[in-house]
Amino acid sequence: MFANTFAAELATRIGSSVEVVTDNNMIEGILSTVTTDLVLVIEVNSGYGDNLKQYVSMDAINYVRFLLTAA
């Protein structure tokens, strides 16, 4: 029940800068896609190379922090 509410809230914030924390990882980037099973975070690389796509299972997420961006 809570998982559906959590996914719905995250879906309203697509495009936001986030930190997604699991037991083993802290992923910082742009919230790109949200489904009831997975979250896609794009880690933006400010240097050379491609941006990194990180898929995270909804079940593995401990918490999500929304980051403020400088205007």
Side-chain angles (χ1 to χ4, degrees), residues 20-69:
V20 177
V21 177
T22 67
D23 287 343
N24 302 318
N25 294 311
M26 192 276 301
I27 303 161
E28 185 174 331
I30 309 266
L31 184 62
S32 177
T33 305
V34 177
T35 68
T36 56
D37 297 322
L38 292 173
V39 170
L40 172 59
V41 177
I42 307 292
E43 290 186 70
V44 179
N45 183 355
S46 60
Y48 295 102
D50 294 332
N51 297 330
L52 186 61
K53 295 179 181 179
Q54 292 285 330
Y55 291 92
V56 182
S57 171
M58 290 291 272
D59 294 337
I61 296 173
N62 291 336
Y63 68 89
V64 174
R65 177 180 295 154
F66 296 97
L67 306 173
L68 298 177
T69 56

